[in-house]
Amino acid sequence: RWIDAQLRYSTKSASYQGISEACSALWSTDARAEACLVDCLIEILFFYRGDREKYRGDALMQLVIDEPPGHFNFTVVSAMGVITEGAAGREMSATYARLQERRGVVAVRADTATLQSVDYNAREIERAVREQVRTPWGWVGYSQGCANAFRAESLMLQGTPEQQK
């Protein structure tokens, strides 16, 4: 009811493309309905018009919309944090299994290690990419794993021609 009242009676931004009242179509999993829902939520959750425009124009907002069913040609390189078992780790294993089953996305675990330097772990991430990845890829890390992955990315982008491949 609250969403419906907001959609009916609140002042709308000039760039608002949504609907003027809540209906069952708004909750559909169709991509157009999801985009409309995101637009509606931005419109009613942010008070200042400038904020609405900023978030509406942010490409990251589109990530909240589900991709259509199907598989992707993509690999996730897992670079975990300080407490890890490296390549033998079990962190996020259920998530990675579900991602592979539903989307065909393979997860590769970099053999990062506890109590090793950022450079050591970055080299392990780079090695995992070089030896195991044959698709477009991205990394997932948490805690120290993010610093390790950023360092690996930096080395690969600015390193030798071999590293930049």
Side-chain angles (χ1 to χ4, degrees), residues 43-102:
E43 192 66 26
I44 63 177
L45 292 176
F46 295 96
F47 179 77
Y48 296 109
R49 284 187 180 162
D51 289 343
R52 293 182 217 154
E53 301 308 319
K54 178 175 73 173
Y55 289 111
R56 190 171 279 122
D58 187 338
L60 290 176
M61 290 304 297
Q62 301 310 308
L63 293 177
V64 301
I65 299 173
D66 257 350
E67 287 291 324
H71 285 200
F72 294 98
N73 182 34
F74 192 79
T75 302
V76 169
V77 177
S78 180
M80 292 298 117
V82 174
I83 305 301
T84 184
E85 297 293 325
R90 302 294 301 151
E91 303 96 347
M92 297 179 59
S93 60
T95 300
Y96 291 151
R98 188 172 56 250
L99 193 57
Q100 184 166 8
E101 176 189 324
R102 292 185 184 170

Side-chain angles (χ1 to χ4, degrees), residues 133-164:
V133 176
R134 300 293 175 262
T135 66
W137 62 277
W139 51 263
V140 172
Y142 66 85
S143 181
Q144 183 65 37
C146 291
N148 296 337
F150 277 126
R151 180 65 177 146
E153 188 173 303
S154 173
L155 290 171
M156 287 187 272
L157 290 173
Q158 300 172 15
T160 66
E162 183 64 28
Q163 286 175 301
Q164 294 178 26

